[in-house]
Amino acid sequence: MSITEPATFWVTCPQGFHRLLKPEITQITGQPALDWSRGLAFEGSLADAYRLCLWSRLANRVHLALG
């Protein structure tokens, strides 16, 4: 997987912080965040995920969908 190849990521956060994390993901990655049962999801590059890990104040983990 290259750093610019698009992928799906799942982002977890503390319970009750989904509505605050959604605009933060969009602001940091430039990609719209979608609701997921345990957090949020977005489609973007590996660079977007690294940027989110570095700058997010609310995200606990950023998971890469492998299959």
Side-chain angles (χ1 to χ4, degrees), residues 2-23:
S2 73
I3 198 153
T4 59
E5 188 177 328
T8 301
F9 296 93
W10 296 310
V11 184
T12 60
C13 64
Q15 196 169 25
F17 284 88
H18 295 89
R19 65 180 180 84
L20 298 173
L21 179 59
K22 197 170 192 176

Side-chain angles (χ1 to χ4, degrees), residues 3-4 8 14 16 18 21-24 29 32-33 35-36 41 43 47 49 57-62 64:
I3 198 153
T4 59
T8 301
H18 295 89
L21 179 59
K22 197 170 192 176
E24 184 179 73
T29 67
D35 291 322
W36 174 52
E43 296 244 349
R57 297 172 295 147
L58 300 171
N60 285 343
R61 291 192 169 89
V62 178
L64 169 63

Side-chain angles (χ1 to χ4, degrees), residues 45-58:
S45 66
L46 195 54
D48 291 331
Y50 286 145
R51 198 174 303 110
L52 185 63
C53 287
L54 180 64
W55 294 108
S56 178
R57 297 172 295 147
L58 300 171

